[in-house]
Every structure is written in structure tokens, then in C-alpha cells.
Amino acid sequence: MSLLLEIITPDRTVYNGEVESATFPGTLGTFLVLNNHAPIISTLFKGPMSYVNEDGSHKYEIDGGVVEVLNNKITVLAESVH
């Protein structure tokens, strides 16, 4: 695994670690991020966000936010995560 994912809300860090892939509810539809993804900044809608790491698949509901992908690092700034 060579993607680093950080999920942050205004009150806590939800996750910070390596993942194989991550899926997001983007404004224009759901999208998948894999290793060596092109740089992107996208707004996120309310909906399911998931990632796969060495422990398996993990799924959250987010209430919107922003995601940035740059140099195999994914940073999610979410309004809230359930």
C-alpha cells in the first residue's frame, strides 16, 4: 500500500494511515482513488465514503466536505463522519 489517507472533521481525526484505495461521493458522482492518481480537489456530497486497507474494507457516511489528492496522499476535510 502506498496511498496515505487522512480523514479529518472539525473535532477529531477519524483515520490516518495507509490504504489500497478509497471511494468518495463527489459532487459529479462517486469516484475511486488508486495509487498514482492524478492531482485533484473535489467537493463531497453527503453519502458513503469507503476505503480498503490491510484490515479489509471500511465504510463511513459523511455529511459533505472537500477531498484533495496529491502525490499519493488523500486528505479529506469532512463536516462530520458517522
Side-chain angles (χ1 to χ4, degrees):
M1 288 182 278
S2 49
L3 271 173
L4 181 63
L5 172 63
E6 186 172 23
I7 304 169
I8 304 168
T9 67
D11 57 343
R12 67 186 172 113
T13 297
V14 176
Y15 180 79
N16 188 5
E18 291 187 358
V19 299
E20 294 175 15
S21 64
T23 303
F24 301 99
T27 304
L28 298 176
T30 301
F31 64 96
L32 173 70
V33 176
L34 297 170
N35 193 31
N36 296 321
H37 194 284
I40 184 174
I41 295 176
S42 176
T43 54
L44 299 173
F45 274 161
K46 180 177 181 174
M49 183 200 83
S50 62
Y51 64 87
V52 176
N53 67 8
E54 62 187 13
D55 296 329
S57 182
H58 305 271
K59 188 173 181 179
Y60 296 101
E61 285 289 321
I62 63 169
D63 288 333
V66 177
V67 62
E68 177 190 51
V69 179
L70 183 63
N71 297 326
N72 288 323
K73 181 176 181 191
I74 306 167
T75 305
V76 178
L77 304 175
E79 293 176 22
S80 68
V81 176
H82 312 281

